[in-house]
């Protein structure tokens, strides 16, 4: 060849070793050149390790070697890109899961706080009786209708039904109900009855005093008469 047209003597040892396809192509070309079409892969690798030069390979085979190498490089890049994408997706998923967990925790805390505030508001409302027990005139006796009328004026309207249902089960609105097998007494069947003295000295004869004590007991122990009734339904006592 002329000096100006001399093909660069580029070693393809790296291409041959890196690509099985390239090695096969080099082996095929070597076999053709030597007249042996059944050259083994060992011969091809040996040729590659012997610094086979691109210029030593026929022009048609050069394109095959270069194409094989480029294909392998593209495959490697695609695999690397897939691995990176997978890694990024996993990282994004972990980040989103962490954000979701924080949001869920905040939502739960907010719901718990709101429930606590509602309960506290209900408790305060239940304690705000519309009329104080001491404002009722004392009588020698009271009918069920009179006692229920007292209760409606003392117990908050939204709690009255629950309060009334408990009394229905405990004493059937008999403010002098005395349990013969225990010291339970009165509308609420306080045990012992004398504990109602905290609401007034006339606890044994004044249903208004008993109602006042019963409302306070339900509020203090359960939060409200309706919560006391829920407990009663589950346990048959309050």
């Amino acid at each position: 060849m002329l000096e100006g047209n001399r093909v660069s003597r580029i070693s393809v040892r790296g291409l041959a070793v890196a690509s099985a396809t390239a090695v096969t192509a080099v082996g095929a070309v070597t076999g053709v050149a030597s007249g042996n079409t059944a050259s083994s892969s060992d011969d091809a690798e040996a040729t590659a390790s012997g610094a086979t030069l691109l210029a030593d390979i026929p022009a048609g085979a050069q394109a095959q070697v270069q194409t094989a190498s480029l294909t392998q490089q593209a495959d490697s890049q695609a695999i690397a890109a897939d691995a990176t994408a997978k890694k990024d997706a996993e990282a994004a998923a972990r980040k989103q899961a962490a954000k979701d967990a924080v949001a869920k925790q905040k939502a739960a805390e907010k719901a718990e706080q709101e429930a606590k505030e509602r309960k506290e508001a209900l408790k305060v409302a239940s304690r705000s009786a519309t009329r104080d027990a001491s404002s009722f005139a004392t009588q020698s006796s009271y009918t069920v209708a009179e006692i229920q009328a007292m209760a409606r004026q003392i117990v908050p309207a939204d709690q009255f039904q629950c309060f009334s249902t408990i009394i229905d089960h405990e004493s059937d609105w008999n403010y002098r109900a005395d349990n013969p097998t225990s010291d339970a007494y009165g509308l609420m069947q306080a045990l012992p009855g004398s504990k109602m003295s905290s609401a007034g000295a006339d606890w044994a004869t004044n249903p208004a005093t008993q109602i006042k004590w019963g409302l306070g007991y339900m509020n203090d122990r359960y939060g409200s008469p309706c919560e006391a009734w829920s407990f009663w339904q589950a346990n048959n006592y309050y």
Side-chain angles (χ1 to χ4, degrees):
M1 290 185 183
L2 297 177
E3 183 66 26
N5 296 325
R6 181 176 299 165
V7 178
S8 246
R9 298 176 63 81
I10 301 172
S11 172
V12 295
R13 177 186 300 172
L15 296 178
V17 172
S19 170
T21 304
V23 169
T24 302
V26 172
V29 173
T30 303
V32 171
S34 63
N36 180 10
T37 59
S39 297
S40 67
S41 60
D42 291 340
D43 292 335
E45 188 172 351
T47 301
S49 63
T52 301
L53 302 179
L54 188 61
D56 295 334
I57 302 173
Q62 290 180 14
Q64 297 179 11
V65 173
Q66 291 173 328
T67 299
S69 177
L70 292 173
T71 299
Q72 184 188 33
Q73 290 178 24
D75 290 344
S76 297
Q77 291 173 355
I79 292 173
D82 288 344
T84 299
K86 182 179 180 180
K87 184 176 180 180
D88 290 344
E90 291 175 347
R94 287 194 297 271
K95 185 176 180 180
Q96 188 60 47
K99 289 175 65 177
D100 291 344
V102 171
K104 185 176 181 180
Q105 181 178 1
K106 287 183 177 179
E109 291 174 351
K110 182 179 179 181
E112 182 179 359
Q113 181 62 29
E114 290 176 347
K116 184 177 180 181
E117 290 174 356
R118 287 195 299 270
K119 183 176 180 179
E120 195 62 30
L122 179 63
K123 190 173 182 179
V124 171
S126 294
R127 286 177 172 174
S128 301
T130 56
R131 184 174 174 183
D132 188 80
S134 61
S135 65
F136 292 95
T138 303
Q139 300 176 194
S140 59
S141 64
Y142 302 84
T143 66
V144 169
E146 289 173 332
I147 297 172
Q148 290 176 337
M150 287 181 182
R152 286 185 181 280
Q153 295 181 68
I154 296 173
V155 180
D158 63 336
Q159 297 294 310
F160 177 77
Q161 188 57 54
C162 297
F163 185 90
S164 176
T165 303
I166 290 177
I167 294 181
D168 283 339
H169 284 79
E170 293 294 331
S171 66
D172 198 23
W173 292 92
N174 180 2
Y175 70 102
R176 292 182 181 275
D178 190 358
N179 192 319
T181 61
S182 70
D183 291 329
Y185 185 86
L187 296 172
M188 264 62 66
Q189 287 293 282
L191 181 63
S194 59
K195 66 170 57 175
M196 290 189 289
S197 62
S198 61
D202 58 350
W203 59 270
T205 59
N206 190 341
T209 299
Q210 295 183 12
I211 292 169
K212 177 183 177 181
W213 178 86
L215 179 61
Y217 171 79
M218 294 176 196
N219 285 335
D220 291 340
R221 182 159 184 172
Y222 301 102
S224 70
C226 284
E227 289 184 56
W229 172 234
S230 294
F231 183 89
W232 197 102
Q233 289 176 290
N235 302 276
N236 291 321
Y237 72 93
Y238 74 107

